[in-house]
């Protein structure tokens, strides 16, 4: 016996809420750091969030490329769902980044490349996805997602730091800090998968 779509969606939202709760609990249990104190917990969530955004945008690009090369309509649809998921994480990461700036630097330095470039991609990504949603041309969406994902990874890979430290978690001597960051990253990836399925389900209701 199949589960009614409305009941299924309720369960998806419940599982998503539980995953968010696990992320919050993991961050709460994460260790403090000598100079950053409890702020390290937010920094780890912020780091996991941006990495998952990058990974999902990359997955959207790969799905789009597969759709274009293999001419598979379902891959076009998944490319869009993943792009919307990546944008969801990106737009929620940006205010988190401002809060991290305020807590760690005592103010907002908006010319920092690791803020300015991601913010630009957030604005461009939002406008792009709105335009693609209005156009509703699957192959065009896939092509745009390939270009956007490639540009994002290339641009972020060559960024220089002014105040932002370079990979502070990876360079930490604490295995506990690294363990909790990896755990947060995995949980956030699980959350991204759940969000992607919700986006795909919403698109299916709009156009089968």
């Amino acid at each position: 016996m199949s589960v009614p779509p409305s009941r299924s969606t309720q369960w998806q939202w419940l599982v998503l809420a539980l995953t968010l709760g696990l992320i919050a609990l993991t961050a709460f249990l994460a260790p403090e750091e000598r100079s950053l104190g409890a702020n390290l917990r937010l920094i780890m969530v912020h780091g996991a969030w941006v990495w998952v955004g990058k990974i999902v945008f990359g997955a959207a690009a790969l799905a789009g490329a597969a759709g274009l090369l293999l001419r598979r309509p379902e891959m076009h649809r998944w490319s869009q769902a993943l792009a919307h998921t990546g944008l969801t994480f990106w737009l929620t990461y940006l205010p988190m980044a401002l809060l991290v700036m305020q807590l760690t630097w005592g103010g907002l330095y908006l010319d920092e490349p690791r803020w300015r470039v991601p913010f630009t991609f957030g604005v461009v990504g939002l406008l792009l996805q709105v335009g693609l949603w209005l156009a509703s041309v699957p192959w065009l969406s896939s092509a745009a997602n390939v270009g956007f994902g490639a540009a994002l990874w290339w641009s972020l890979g060559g960024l220089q730091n002014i105040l932002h430290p370079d990979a502070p978690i990876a360079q930490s001597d604490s295995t506990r800090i690294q363990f909790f960051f990896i755990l947060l990253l995995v949980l956030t990836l699980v959350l991204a998968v759940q969000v992607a399925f919700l986006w795909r389900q919403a698109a299916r209701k709009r156009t089968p």
Side-chain angles (χ1 to χ4, degrees), residues 64-131:
L68 291 169
L69 292 173
L70 303 176
R71 297 183 180 180
R72 297 281 299 274
E74 184 63 15
M75 296 306 297
H76 291 316
R77 298 185 186 105
W78 271 110
S79 178
Q80 271 305 87
L82 288 166
H84 291 160
T85 303
L87 188 62
T88 300
F89 277 84
W90 209 258
L91 294 180
T92 50
Y93 142 76
L94 290 173
M96 213 183 302
L98 291 176
L99 182 57
V100 167
M101 272 192 214
Q102 184 65 46
L103 292 175
T104 56
W105 301 341
L108 302 180
Y109 183 58
L110 301 183
D111 203 38
E112 167 65 47
R114 287 192 179 272
W115 159 259
R116 179 169 40 81
V117 174
F119 175 75
T120 301
F121 271 99
V123 173
V124 172
L126 178 60
L127 295 175
L128 176 65
Q129 292 305 321
V130 170

